[in-house]
Amino acid sequence: DTAVSQTPKYLVTQMGNDKSIKCEQNLGHDTMYWYKQDSKKFLKIMFSYNNKELIINETVPNRFSPKSPDKAHLNLHINSLELGDSAVYFCASSHVGNQETQYFGPGTRLLVL
Amino acid sequence: GDSVTQMEGPVTLSEEAFLTINCTYTATGYPSLFWYVQYPGEGLQLLLKATKADDKGSNKGFEATYRKETTSFHLEKGSVQVSDSAVYFCALSTGNNNDMRFGAGTRLTVKP
């Protein structure tokens, strides 16, 4: 059973489109995260959600919006995709009392043409 | 702000060679330190961690010691294997607002 899953695994789309990436965790965690990994492998946190409340929001364009329908899901919606959005996006989750130990999903490879 | 700096890669070693990947940190508080590993095509996995000064984290033959005096958390392994080929990330967390900071990652390739 996959602990943290993401769909789709690969996403190729045109500039200007709107797309969503889904994330689900079955670990019973109450905090979820989205990270962006660029072509140089640098990993940067984008968002985290704790009990449906946004905890941190780094300097991410407002074209990116996290949506959490329930504690087990944190989806990432991206409007008006740009070439620079091409990257691998990782979802992660943790317990609020142990946020230092995060479990990561397999990643979604987004390519914007 | 808090940050992590790790040695730039890529690092290429022969099987059974000794591995060191340097990591230093800057933090205002007392962070916990981590090493994550990313195997090809997979997500990040926690490799080891240390939560206070002089603690040593270890797993799968890898070790790292939390050195407060040098603000370092270098990753070492005495004898690497081909299966250790991956990207390694050093990270810190001060526990504030779920904020975890990652280094840029170091790609390790081990050749038979």
Side-chain angles (χ1 to χ4, degrees), chain A residues 31 33 35 37 40-43 55-56 58 90 99-102 104-106, chain B residues 32 34 36 38 41 43-44 46 49 89 93 95 97-98 100-102 104 107:
Chain A
T31 305
Y33 313 81
Y35 289 84
Q37 184 181 45
K40 297 182 179 179
K41 296 294 185 181
F42 190 78
L43 198 68
I55 300 296
I56 58 175
E58 296 288 321
F90 287 99
Q99 62 263 35
E100 299 173 341
T101 302
Q102 298 179 17
F104 284 78
Chain B
S32 294
F34 307 82
Y36 279 83
Q38 182 182 22
L44 277 74
L46 179 63
K49 70 176 183 180
F89 292 88
S93 173
N97 294 327
N98 302 319
M100 180 168 280
R101 304 281 175 169
F102 285 84
R107 180 181 297 280

PDB file of all heavy atoms in Angstrom, chain A residues 31 33 35 37 40-43 55-56 58 90 99-102 104-106, chain B residues 32 34 36 38 41 43-44 46 49 89 93 95 97-98 100-102 104 107:
ATOM      1  N   THR A  31      -0.563  16.854   8.634  1.00  0.00           N
ATOM      2  CA  THR A  31       0.118  17.943   7.937  1.00  0.00           C
ATOM      3  C   THR A  31       0.618  17.438   6.592  1.00  0.00           C
ATOM      4  O   THR A  31       1.217  16.365   6.513  1.00  0.00           O
ATOM      5  CB  THR A  31       1.304  18.469   8.751  1.00  0.00           C
ATOM      6  OG1 THR A  31       0.850  18.842  10.062  1.00  0.00           O
ATOM      7  CG2 THR A  31       1.912  19.684   8.082  1.00  0.00           C
ATOM      8  N   TYR A  33       2.416  18.702   2.600  1.00  0.00           N
ATOM      9  CA  TYR A  33       3.316  19.694   2.023  1.00  0.00           C
ATOM     10  C   TYR A  33       3.398  19.516   0.507  1.00  0.00           C
ATOM     11  O   TYR A  33       3.189  18.428  -0.020  1.00  0.00           O
ATOM     12  CB  TYR A  33       4.747  19.514   2.570  1.00  0.00           C
ATOM     13  CG  TYR A  33       4.848  19.340   4.051  1.00  0.00           C
ATOM     14  CD1 TYR A  33       4.611  18.100   4.653  1.00  0.00           C
ATOM     15  CD2 TYR A  33       5.216  20.396   4.870  1.00  0.00           C
ATOM     16  CE1 TYR A  33       4.717  17.929   6.022  1.00  0.00           C
ATOM     17  CE2 TYR A  33       5.340  20.233   6.245  1.00  0.00           C
ATOM     18  CZ  TYR A  33       5.084  19.000   6.814  1.00  0.00           C
ATOM     19  OH  TYR A  33       5.193  18.827   8.170  1.00  0.00           O
ATOM     20  N   TYR A  35       6.398  20.441  -2.450  1.00  0.00           N
ATOM     21  CA  TYR A  35       7.735  20.911  -2.733  1.00  0.00           C
ATOM     22  C   TYR A  35       7.923  20.980  -4.246  1.00  0.00           C
ATOM     23  O   TYR A  35       7.356  20.180  -4.988  1.00  0.00           O
ATOM     24  CB  TYR A  35       8.801  19.951  -2.184  1.00  0.00           C
ATOM     25  CG  TYR A  35       8.938  19.931  -0.689  1.00  0.00           C
ATOM     26  CD1 TYR A  35       8.101  19.139   0.097  1.00  0.00           C
ATOM     27  CD2 TYR A  35       9.913  20.682  -0.058  1.00  0.00           C
ATOM     28  CE1 TYR A  35       8.243  19.104   1.472  1.00  0.00           C
ATOM     29  CE2 TYR A  35      10.062  20.651   1.327  1.00  0.00           C
ATOM     30  CZ  TYR A  35       9.219  19.863   2.079  1.00  0.00           C
ATOM     31  OH  TYR A  35       9.361  19.829   3.435  1.00  0.00           O
ATOM     32  N   GLN A  37      11.003  20.729  -7.063  1.00  0.00           N
ATOM     33  CA  GLN A  37      12.404  20.388  -7.293  1.00  0.00           C
ATOM     34  C   GLN A  37      12.766  20.819  -8.709  1.00  0.00           C
ATOM     35  O   GLN A  37      12.215  20.321  -9.676  1.00  0.00           O
ATOM     36  CB  GLN A  37      12.631  18.886  -7.134  1.00  0.00           C
ATOM     37  CG  GLN A  37      14.082  18.464  -7.258  1.00  0.00           C
ATOM     38  CD  GLN A  37      14.262  16.969  -7.108  1.00  0.00           C
ATOM     39  OE1 GLN A  37      13.522  16.189  -7.690  1.00  0.00           O
ATOM     40  NE2 GLN A  37      15.241  16.562  -6.320  1.00  0.00           N
ATOM     41  N   LYS A  40      18.097  21.533 -11.277  1.00  0.00           N
ATOM     42  CA  LYS A  40      19.358  21.331 -10.574  1.00  0.00           C
ATOM     43  C   LYS A  40      19.163  20.534  -9.290  1.00  0.00           C
ATOM     44  O   LYS A  40      20.074  20.456  -8.470  1.00  0.00           O
ATOM     45  CB  LYS A  40      20.006  22.674 -10.260  1.00  0.00           C
ATOM     46  CG  LYS A  40      20.373  23.469 -11.500  1.00  0.00           C
ATOM     47  CD  LYS A  40      21.054  24.773 -11.126  1.00  0.00           C
ATOM     48  CE  LYS A  40      21.433  25.538 -12.384  1.00  0.00           C
ATOM     49  NZ  LYS A  40      22.092  26.831 -12.060  1.00  0.00           N
ATOM     50  N   LYS A  41      18.005  19.962  -9.112  1.00  0.00           N
ATOM     51  CA  LYS A  41      17.687  19.101  -7.981  1.00  0.00           C
ATOM     52  C   LYS A  41      17.461  19.863  -6.684  1.00  0.00           C
ATOM     53  O   LYS A  41      17.328  19.254  -5.639  1.00  0.00           O
ATOM     54  CB  LYS A  41      18.757  18.021  -7.755  1.00  0.00           C
ATOM     55  CG  LYS A  41      18.882  17.049  -8.893  1.00  0.00           C
ATOM     56  CD  LYS A  41      17.628  16.213  -9.020  1.00  0.00           C
ATOM     57  CE  LYS A  41      17.803  15.144 -10.087  1.00  0.00           C
ATOM     58  NZ  LYS A  41      16.579  14.335 -10.249  1.00  0.00           N
ATOM     59  N   PHE A  42      17.429  21.192  -6.761  1.00  0.00           N
ATOM     60  CA  PHE A  42      17.187  21.951  -5.538  1.00  0.00           C
ATOM     61  C   PHE A  42      15.732  21.809  -5.131  1.00  0.00           C
ATOM     62  O   PHE A  42      14.832  22.011  -5.932  1.00  0.00           O
ATOM     63  CB  PHE A  42      17.531  23.419  -5.751  1.00  0.00           C
ATOM     64  CG  PHE A  42      17.541  24.211  -4.480  1.00  0.00           C
ATOM     65  CD1 PHE A  42      18.610  24.137  -3.613  1.00  0.00           C
ATOM     66  CD2 PHE A  42      16.469  25.009  -4.150  1.00  0.00           C
ATOM     67  CE1 PHE A  42      18.616  24.843  -2.434  1.00  0.00           C
ATOM     68  CE2 PHE A  42      16.459  25.718  -2.974  1.00  0.00           C
ATOM     69  CZ  PHE A  42      17.526  25.653  -2.112  1.00  0.00           C
ATOM     70  N   LEU A  43      15.508  21.479  -3.867  1.00  0.00           N
ATOM     71  CA  LEU A  43      14.166  21.215  -3.360  1.00  0.00           C
ATOM     72  C   LEU A  43      13.708  22.382  -2.510  1.00  0.00           C
ATOM     73  O   LEU A  43      14.363  22.744  -1.548  1.00  0.00           O
ATOM     74  CB  LEU A  43      14.186  19.939  -2.523  1.00  0.00           C
ATOM     75  CG  LEU A  43      12.857  19.248  -2.246  1.00  0.00           C
ATOM     76  CD1 LEU A  43      12.297  18.678  -3.522  1.00  0.00           C
ATOM     77  CD2 LEU A  43      13.040  18.162  -1.216  1.00  0.00           C
ATOM     78  N   ILE A  55      -0.111  26.845   6.732  1.00  0.00           N
ATOM     79  CA  ILE A  55       0.852  27.210   7.762  1.00  0.00           C
ATOM     80  C   ILE A  55       1.935  28.124   7.211  1.00  0.00           C
ATOM     81  O   ILE A  55       2.217  29.173   7.770  1.00  0.00           O
ATOM     82  CB  ILE A  55       1.502  25.956   8.368  1.00  0.00           C
ATOM     83  CG1 ILE A  55       0.430  25.066   9.008  1.00  0.00           C
ATOM     84  CG2 ILE A  55       2.578  26.337   9.369  1.00  0.00           C
ATOM     85  CD1 ILE A  55      -0.269  25.706  10.172  1.00  0.00           C
ATOM     86  N   ILE A  56       2.551  27.699   6.128  1.00  0.00           N
ATOM     87  CA  ILE A  56       3.582  28.528   5.515  1.00  0.00           C
ATOM     88  C   ILE A  56       3.336  28.631   4.026  1.00  0.00           C
ATOM     89  O   ILE A  56       2.755  27.761   3.430  1.00  0.00           O
ATOM     90  CB  ILE A  56       5.007  27.970   5.741  1.00  0.00           C
ATOM     91  CG1 ILE A  56       5.134  26.538   5.174  1.00  0.00           C
ATOM     92  CG2 ILE A  56       5.384  28.013   7.190  1.00  0.00           C
ATOM     93  CD1 ILE A  56       6.532  25.992   5.253  1.00  0.00           C
ATOM     94  N   GLU A  58       5.797  30.011   1.016  1.00  0.00           N
ATOM     95  CA  GLU A  58       7.003  30.667   0.564  1.00  0.00           C
ATOM     96  C   GLU A  58       6.665  31.608  -0.605  1.00  0.00           C
ATOM     97  O   GLU A  58       5.528  31.760  -0.981  1.00  0.00           O
ATOM     98  CB  GLU A  58       8.044  29.628   0.126  1.00  0.00           C
ATOM     99  CG  GLU A  58       8.526  28.737   1.240  1.00  0.00           C
ATOM    100  CD  GLU A  58       9.426  29.469   2.208  1.00  0.00           C
ATOM    101  OE1 GLU A  58      10.231  30.288   1.746  1.00  0.00           O
ATOM    102  OE2 GLU A  58       9.318  29.232   3.419  1.00  0.00           O
ATOM    103  N   PHE A  90       6.827  17.452  -5.508  1.00  0.00           N
ATOM    104  CA  PHE A  90       6.699  16.386  -4.515  1.00  0.00           C
ATOM    105  C   PHE A  90       5.704  16.777  -3.441  1.00  0.00           C
ATOM    106  O   PHE A  90       5.736  17.892  -2.910  1.00  0.00           O
ATOM    107  CB  PHE A  90       8.044  16.101  -3.829  1.00  0.00           C
ATOM    108  CG  PHE A  90       9.029  15.372  -4.698  1.00  0.00           C
ATOM    109  CD1 PHE A  90      10.028  16.064  -5.352  1.00  0.00           C
ATOM    110  CD2 PHE A  90       8.948  13.996  -4.854  1.00  0.00           C
ATOM    111  CE1 PHE A  90      10.943  15.392  -6.156  1.00  0.00           C
ATOM    112  CE2 PHE A  90       9.855  13.320  -5.656  1.00  0.00           C
ATOM    113  CZ  PHE A  90      10.845  14.022  -6.307  1.00  0.00           C
ATOM    114  N   GLN A  99       6.739  16.902  12.741  1.00  0.00           N
ATOM    115  CA  GLN A  99       6.813  17.446  11.386  1.00  0.00           C
ATOM    116  C   GLN A  99       8.201  17.354  10.786  1.00  0.00           C
ATOM    117  O   GLN A  99       8.394  17.588   9.606  1.00  0.00           O
ATOM    118  CB  GLN A  99       6.330  18.909  11.358  1.00  0.00           C
ATOM    119  CG  GLN A  99       7.159  19.858  12.203  1.00  0.00           C
ATOM    120  CD  GLN A  99       6.527  20.073  13.553  1.00  0.00           C
ATOM    121  OE1 GLN A  99       5.942  19.170  14.113  1.00  0.00           O
ATOM    122  NE2 GLN A  99       6.640  21.283  14.076  1.00  0.00           N
ATOM    123  N   GLU A 100       9.180  17.018  11.615  1.00  0.00           N
ATOM    124  CA  GLU A 100      10.520  16.897  11.075  1.00  0.00           C
ATOM    125  C   GLU A 100      10.693  15.638  10.234  1.00  0.00           C
ATOM    126  O   GLU A 100      11.588  15.573   9.397  1.00  0.00           O
ATOM    127  CB  GLU A 100      11.518  16.881  12.225  1.00  0.00           C
ATOM    128  CG  GLU A 100      11.470  18.153  13.061  1.00  0.00           C
ATOM    129  CD  GLU A 100      12.330  18.044  14.289  1.00  0.00           C
ATOM    130  OE1 GLU A 100      12.674  16.925  14.691  1.00  0.00           O
ATOM    131  OE2 GLU A 100      12.677  19.096  14.844  1.00  0.00           O
ATOM    132  N   THR A 101       9.906  14.642  10.476  1.00  0.00           N
ATOM    133  CA  THR A 101      10.009  13.397   9.717  1.00  0.00           C
ATOM    134  C   THR A 101       8.880  13.357   8.697  1.00  0.00           C
ATOM    135  O   THR A 101       7.740  13.043   9.038  1.00  0.00           O
ATOM    136  CB  THR A 101       9.942  12.175  10.650  1.00  0.00           C
ATOM    137  OG1 THR A 101      10.992  12.274  11.604  1.00  0.00           O
ATOM    138  CG2 THR A 101      10.124  10.901   9.839  1.00  0.00           C
ATOM    139  N   GLN A 102       9.204  13.690   7.491  1.00  0.00           N
ATOM    140  CA  GLN A 102       8.210  13.776   6.437  1.00  0.00           C
ATOM    141  C   GLN A 102       8.328  12.588   5.494  1.00  0.00           C
ATOM    142  O   GLN A 102       9.432  12.146   5.183  1.00  0.00           O
ATOM    143  CB  GLN A 102       8.382  15.084   5.659  1.00  0.00           C
ATOM    144  CG  GLN A 102       8.178  16.314   6.533  1.00  0.00           C
ATOM    145  CD  GLN A 102       8.359  17.609   5.781  1.00  0.00           C
ATOM    146  OE1 GLN A 102       8.328  17.644   4.556  1.00  0.00           O
ATOM    147  NE2 GLN A 102       8.518  18.707   6.514  1.00  0.00           N
ATOM    148  N   PHE A 104       7.550  11.284   1.738  1.00  0.00           N
ATOM    149  CA  PHE A 104       7.383  11.889   0.427  1.00  0.00           C
ATOM    150  C   PHE A 104       6.689  10.961  -0.557  1.00  0.00           C
ATOM    151  O   PHE A 104       6.857   9.742  -0.515  1.00  0.00           O
ATOM    152  CB  PHE A 104       8.745  12.282  -0.148  1.00  0.00           C
ATOM    153  CG  PHE A 104       9.315  13.520   0.467  1.00  0.00           C
ATOM    154  CD1 PHE A 104       9.917  13.476   1.711  1.00  0.00           C
ATOM    155  CD2 PHE A 104       9.242  14.738  -0.192  1.00  0.00           C
ATOM    156  CE1 PHE A 104      10.435  14.622   2.297  1.00  0.00           C
ATOM    157  CE2 PHE A 104       9.755  15.882   0.387  1.00  0.00           C
ATOM    158  CZ  PHE A 104      10.352  15.832   1.629  1.00  0.00           C
ATOM    159  N   GLY A 105       5.939  11.582  -1.461  1.00  0.00           N
ATOM    160  CA  GLY A 105       5.389  10.855  -2.588  1.00  0.00           C
ATOM    161  C   GLY A 105       6.431  10.677  -3.667  1.00  0.00           C
ATOM    162  O   GLY A 105       7.549  11.186  -3.562  1.00  0.00           O
ATOM    163  N   PRO A 106       6.087   9.974  -4.735  1.00  0.00           N
ATOM    164  CA  PRO A 106       7.056   9.663  -5.797  1.00  0.00           C
ATOM    165  C   PRO A 106       7.347  10.835  -6.724  1.00  0.00           C
ATOM    166  O   PRO A 106       8.276  10.760  -7.532  1.00  0.00           O
ATOM    167  CB  PRO A 106       6.386   8.526  -6.549  1.00  0.00           C
ATOM    168  CG  PRO A 106       4.924   8.759  -6.334  1.00  0.00           C
ATOM    169  CD  PRO A 106       4.793   9.326  -4.957  1.00  0.00           C
TER     170      PRO A 106
ATOM    171  N   SER B  32      17.068  20.475  14.226  1.00  0.00           N
ATOM    172  CA  SER B  32      17.299  19.063  13.974  1.00  0.00           C
ATOM    173  C   SER B  32      17.852  18.961  12.558  1.00  0.00           C
ATOM    174  O   SER B  32      17.511  19.757  11.682  1.00  0.00           O
ATOM    175  CB  SER B  32      15.991  18.278  14.078  1.00  0.00           C
ATOM    176  OG  SER B  32      15.507  18.295  15.404  1.00  0.00           O
ATOM    177  N   PHE B  34      19.026  16.452   9.141  1.00  0.00           N
ATOM    178  CA  PHE B  34      18.574  15.257   8.424  1.00  0.00           C
ATOM    179  C   PHE B  34      19.409  15.034   7.170  1.00  0.00           C
ATOM    180  O   PHE B  34      19.947  15.982   6.585  1.00  0.00           O
ATOM    181  CB  PHE B  34      17.119  15.419   7.960  1.00  0.00           C
ATOM    182  CG  PHE B  34      16.163  15.809   9.043  1.00  0.00           C
ATOM    183  CD1 PHE B  34      16.038  17.131   9.432  1.00  0.00           C
ATOM    184  CD2 PHE B  34      15.398  14.849   9.667  1.00  0.00           C
ATOM    185  CE1 PHE B  34      15.162  17.494  10.436  1.00  0.00           C
ATOM    186  CE2 PHE B  34      14.507  15.205  10.670  1.00  0.00           C
ATOM    187  CZ  PHE B  34      14.395  16.531  11.049  1.00  0.00           C
ATOM    188  N   TYR B  36      18.359  13.107   3.588  1.00  0.00           N
ATOM    189  CA  TYR B  36      17.377  12.398   2.784  1.00  0.00           C
ATOM    190  C   TYR B  36      18.081  11.856   1.544  1.00  0.00           C
ATOM    191  O   TYR B  36      19.048  12.445   1.052  1.00  0.00           O
ATOM    192  CB  TYR B  36      16.243  13.329   2.348  1.00  0.00           C
ATOM    193  CG  TYR B  36      15.183  13.561   3.393  1.00  0.00           C
ATOM    194  CD1 TYR B  36      15.357  14.508   4.393  1.00  0.00           C
ATOM    195  CD2 TYR B  36      13.988  12.837   3.367  1.00  0.00           C
ATOM    196  CE1 TYR B  36      14.367  14.727   5.346  1.00  0.00           C
ATOM    197  CE2 TYR B  36      13.000  13.051   4.308  1.00  0.00           C
ATOM    198  CZ  TYR B  36      13.197  13.994   5.297  1.00  0.00           C
ATOM    199  OH  TYR B  36      12.219  14.202   6.242  1.00  0.00           O
ATOM    200  N   GLN B  38      17.350  10.334  -2.478  1.00  0.00           N
ATOM    201  CA  GLN B  38      16.399  10.212  -3.589  1.00  0.00           C
ATOM    202  C   GLN B  38      16.996   9.280  -4.630  1.00  0.00           C
ATOM    203  O   GLN B  38      17.933   9.647  -5.342  1.00  0.00           O
ATOM    204  CB  GLN B  38      16.112  11.578  -4.210  1.00  0.00           C
ATOM    205  CG  GLN B  38      15.094  11.542  -5.330  1.00  0.00           C
ATOM    206  CD  GLN B  38      14.872  12.901  -5.954  1.00  0.00           C
ATOM    207  OE1 GLN B  38      15.709  13.793  -5.872  1.00  0.00           O
ATOM    208  NE2 GLN B  38      13.721  13.076  -6.584  1.00  0.00           N
ATOM    209  N   GLY B  41      14.156   8.187 -10.044  1.00  0.00           N
ATOM    210  CA  GLY B  41      12.737   8.033 -10.323  1.00  0.00           C
ATOM    211  C   GLY B  41      11.844   7.919  -9.111  1.00  0.00           C
ATOM    212  O   GLY B  41      10.644   7.651  -9.233  1.00  0.00           O
ATOM    213  N   GLY B  43      10.710   9.295  -4.888  1.00  0.00           N
ATOM    214  CA  GLY B  43      10.654  10.438  -3.987  1.00  0.00           C
ATOM    215  C   GLY B  43      11.741  10.377  -2.938  1.00  0.00           C
ATOM    216  O   GLY B  43      12.529   9.432  -2.888  1.00  0.00           O
ATOM    217  N   LEU B  44      11.772  11.376  -2.093  1.00  0.00           N
ATOM    218  CA  LEU B  44      12.790  11.425  -1.054  1.00  0.00           C
ATOM    219  C   LEU B  44      12.448  10.461   0.080  1.00  0.00           C
ATOM    220  O   LEU B  44      11.288  10.297   0.458  1.00  0.00           O
ATOM    221  CB  LEU B  44      12.909  12.836  -0.480  1.00  0.00           C
ATOM    222  CG  LEU B  44      13.764  13.811  -1.255  1.00  0.00           C
ATOM    223  CD1 LEU B  44      13.046  14.268  -2.506  1.00  0.00           C
ATOM    224  CD2 LEU B  44      14.142  14.993  -0.390  1.00  0.00           C
ATOM    225  N   LEU B  46      13.757   9.484   4.115  1.00  0.00           N
ATOM    226  CA  LEU B  46      14.613   9.858   5.223  1.00  0.00           C
ATOM    227  C   LEU B  46      15.694   8.794   5.401  1.00  0.00           C
ATOM    228  O   LEU B  46      15.405   7.613   5.555  1.00  0.00           O
ATOM    229  CB  LEU B  46      13.796   9.987   6.502  1.00  0.00           C
ATOM    230  CG  LEU B  46      14.572  10.352   7.760  1.00  0.00           C
ATOM    231  CD1 LEU B  46      15.202  11.730   7.617  1.00  0.00           C
ATOM    232  CD2 LEU B  46      13.660  10.301   8.982  1.00  0.00           C
ATOM    233  N   LYS B  49      18.836  10.968  10.908  1.00  0.00           N
ATOM    234  CA  LYS B  49      18.641  12.282  11.501  1.00  0.00           C
ATOM    235  C   LYS B  49      19.322  12.368  12.851  1.00  0.00           C
ATOM    236  O   LYS B  49      19.668  11.347  13.463  1.00  0.00           O
ATOM    237  CB  LYS B  49      17.149  12.590  11.651  1.00  0.00           C
ATOM    238  CG  LYS B  49      16.440  11.765  12.704  1.00  0.00           C
ATOM    239  CD  LYS B  49      14.980  12.219  12.834  1.00  0.00           C
ATOM    240  CE  LYS B  49      14.264  11.459  13.937  1.00  0.00           C
ATOM    241  NZ  LYS B  49      12.836  11.914  14.066  1.00  0.00           N
ATOM    242  N   PHE B  89      20.293  14.680   0.057  1.00  0.00           N
ATOM    243  CA  PHE B  89      19.911  16.021   0.493  1.00  0.00           C
ATOM    244  C   PHE B  89      20.132  16.161   1.990  1.00  0.00           C
ATOM    245  O   PHE B  89      19.641  15.359   2.780  1.00  0.00           O
ATOM    246  CB  PHE B  89      18.433  16.292   0.214  1.00  0.00           C
ATOM    247  CG  PHE B  89      18.079  16.392  -1.241  1.00  0.00           C
ATOM    248  CD1 PHE B  89      17.749  15.248  -1.957  1.00  0.00           C
ATOM    249  CD2 PHE B  89      18.083  17.609  -1.888  1.00  0.00           C
ATOM    250  CE1 PHE B  89      17.415  15.330  -3.297  1.00  0.00           C
ATOM    251  CE2 PHE B  89      17.753  17.700  -3.227  1.00  0.00           C
ATOM    252  CZ  PHE B  89      17.423  16.561  -3.931  1.00  0.00           C
ATOM    253  N   SER B  93      15.526  21.437  10.334  1.00  0.00           N
ATOM    254  CA  SER B  93      14.229  21.912  10.781  1.00  0.00           C
ATOM    255  C   SER B  93      14.380  22.466  12.179  1.00  0.00           C
ATOM    256  O   SER B  93      14.989  21.835  13.036  1.00  0.00           O
ATOM    257  CB  SER B  93      13.203  20.775  10.776  1.00  0.00           C
ATOM    258  OG  SER B  93      11.990  21.207  11.358  1.00  0.00           O
ATOM    259  N   GLY B  95      11.583  23.334  13.719  1.00  0.00           N
ATOM    260  CA  GLY B  95      10.295  23.027  14.313  1.00  0.00           C
ATOM    261  C   GLY B  95       9.322  24.182  14.276  1.00  0.00           C
ATOM    262  O   GLY B  95       8.223  24.089  14.805  1.00  0.00           O
ATOM    263  N   ASN B  97       6.693  26.369  12.502  1.00  0.00           N
ATOM    264  CA  ASN B  97       5.801  26.437  11.352  1.00  0.00           C
ATOM    265  C   ASN B  97       6.083  25.355  10.312  1.00  0.00           C
ATOM    266  O   ASN B  97       5.926  25.582   9.117  1.00  0.00           O
ATOM    267  CB  ASN B  97       5.895  27.812  10.668  1.00  0.00           C
ATOM    268  CG  ASN B  97       5.374  28.906  11.570  1.00  0.00           C
ATOM    269  OD1 ASN B  97       4.459  28.689  12.348  1.00  0.00           O
ATOM    270  ND2 ASN B  97       5.969  30.068  11.456  1.00  0.00           N
ATOM    271  N   ASN B  98       6.467  24.184  10.756  1.00  0.00           N
ATOM    272  CA  ASN B  98       6.712  23.076   9.833  1.00  0.00           C
ATOM    273  C   ASN B  98       7.741  23.420   8.776  1.00  0.00           C
ATOM    274  O   ASN B  98       7.688  22.913   7.664  1.00  0.00           O
ATOM    275  CB  ASN B  98       5.407  22.670   9.143  1.00  0.00           C
ATOM    276  CG  ASN B  98       4.354  22.280  10.127  1.00  0.00           C
ATOM    277  OD1 ASN B  98       4.638  21.605  11.099  1.00  0.00           O
ATOM    278  ND2 ASN B  98       3.135  22.710   9.902  1.00  0.00           N
ATOM    279  N   MET B 100      11.008  23.176   6.910  1.00  0.00           N
ATOM    280  CA  MET B 100      12.174  22.339   6.700  1.00  0.00           C
ATOM    281  C   MET B 100      12.947  22.905   5.522  1.00  0.00           C
ATOM    282  O   MET B 100      12.385  23.154   4.462  1.00  0.00           O
ATOM    283  CB  MET B 100      11.775  20.882   6.445  1.00  0.00           C
ATOM    284  CG  MET B 100      12.966  19.977   6.219  1.00  0.00           C
ATOM    285  SD  MET B 100      12.552  18.232   6.261  1.00  0.00           S
ATOM    286  CE  MET B 100      12.493  17.938   8.001  1.00  0.00           C
ATOM    287  N   ARG B 101      14.236  23.109   5.707  1.00  0.00           N
ATOM    288  CA  ARG B 101      15.097  23.675   4.666  1.00  0.00           C
ATOM    289  C   ARG B 101      16.006  22.596   4.116  1.00  0.00           C
ATOM    290  O   ARG B 101      16.684  21.920   4.878  1.00  0.00           O
ATOM    291  CB  ARG B 101      15.947  24.801   5.235  1.00  0.00           C
ATOM    292  CG  ARG B 101      15.138  25.898   5.886  1.00  0.00           C
ATOM    293  CD  ARG B 101      14.535  26.831   4.873  1.00  0.00           C
ATOM    294  NE  ARG B 101      13.665  27.826   5.503  1.00  0.00           N
ATOM    295  CZ  ARG B 101      13.179  28.881   4.881  1.00  0.00           C
ATOM    296  NH1 ARG B 101      13.476  29.080   3.614  1.00  0.00           N
ATOM    297  NH2 ARG B 101      12.390  29.728   5.518  1.00  0.00           N
ATOM    298  N   PHE B 102      16.040  22.492   2.801  1.00  0.00           N
ATOM    299  CA  PHE B 102      16.873  21.491   2.147  1.00  0.00           C
ATOM    300  C   PHE B 102      18.076  22.135   1.478  1.00  0.00           C
ATOM    301  O   PHE B 102      18.002  23.275   1.002  1.00  0.00           O
ATOM    302  CB  PHE B 102      16.070  20.746   1.074  1.00  0.00           C
ATOM    303  CG  PHE B 102      15.089  19.752   1.620  1.00  0.00           C
ATOM    304  CD1 PHE B 102      13.834  20.146   2.037  1.00  0.00           C
ATOM    305  CD2 PHE B 102      15.428  18.406   1.720  1.00  0.00           C
ATOM    306  CE1 PHE B 102      12.925  19.227   2.547  1.00  0.00           C
ATOM    307  CE2 PHE B 102      14.524  17.483   2.221  1.00  0.00           C
ATOM    308  CZ  PHE B 102      13.278  17.897   2.638  1.00  0.00           C
ATOM    309  N   ALA B 104      20.942  21.808  -1.707  1.00  0.00           N
ATOM    310  CA  ALA B 104      20.737  21.700  -3.150  1.00  0.00           C
ATOM    311  C   ALA B 104      20.797  20.267  -3.647  1.00  0.00           C
ATOM    312  O   ALA B 104      20.415  19.995  -4.777  1.00  0.00           O
ATOM    313  CB  ALA B 104      21.765  22.548  -3.884  1.00  0.00           C
ATOM    314  N   ARG B 107      24.566  14.637  -6.135  1.00  0.00           N
ATOM    315  CA  ARG B 107      24.368  13.376  -6.865  1.00  0.00           C
ATOM    316  C   ARG B 107      25.588  12.496  -6.689  1.00  0.00           C
ATOM    317  O   ARG B 107      26.720  12.917  -6.949  1.00  0.00           O
ATOM    318  CB  ARG B 107      24.141  13.644  -8.348  1.00  0.00           C
ATOM    319  CG  ARG B 107      23.941  12.367  -9.161  1.00  0.00           C
ATOM    320  CD  ARG B 107      23.734  12.672 -10.636  1.00  0.00           C
ATOM    321  NE  ARG B 107      22.532  13.454 -10.873  1.00  0.00           N
ATOM    322  CZ  ARG B 107      21.304  12.943 -10.918  1.00  0.00           C
ATOM    323  NH1 ARG B 107      21.128  11.642 -10.764  1.00  0.00           N
ATOM    324  NH2 ARG B 107      20.265  13.709 -11.148  1.00  0.00           N
TER     325      ARG B 107
END
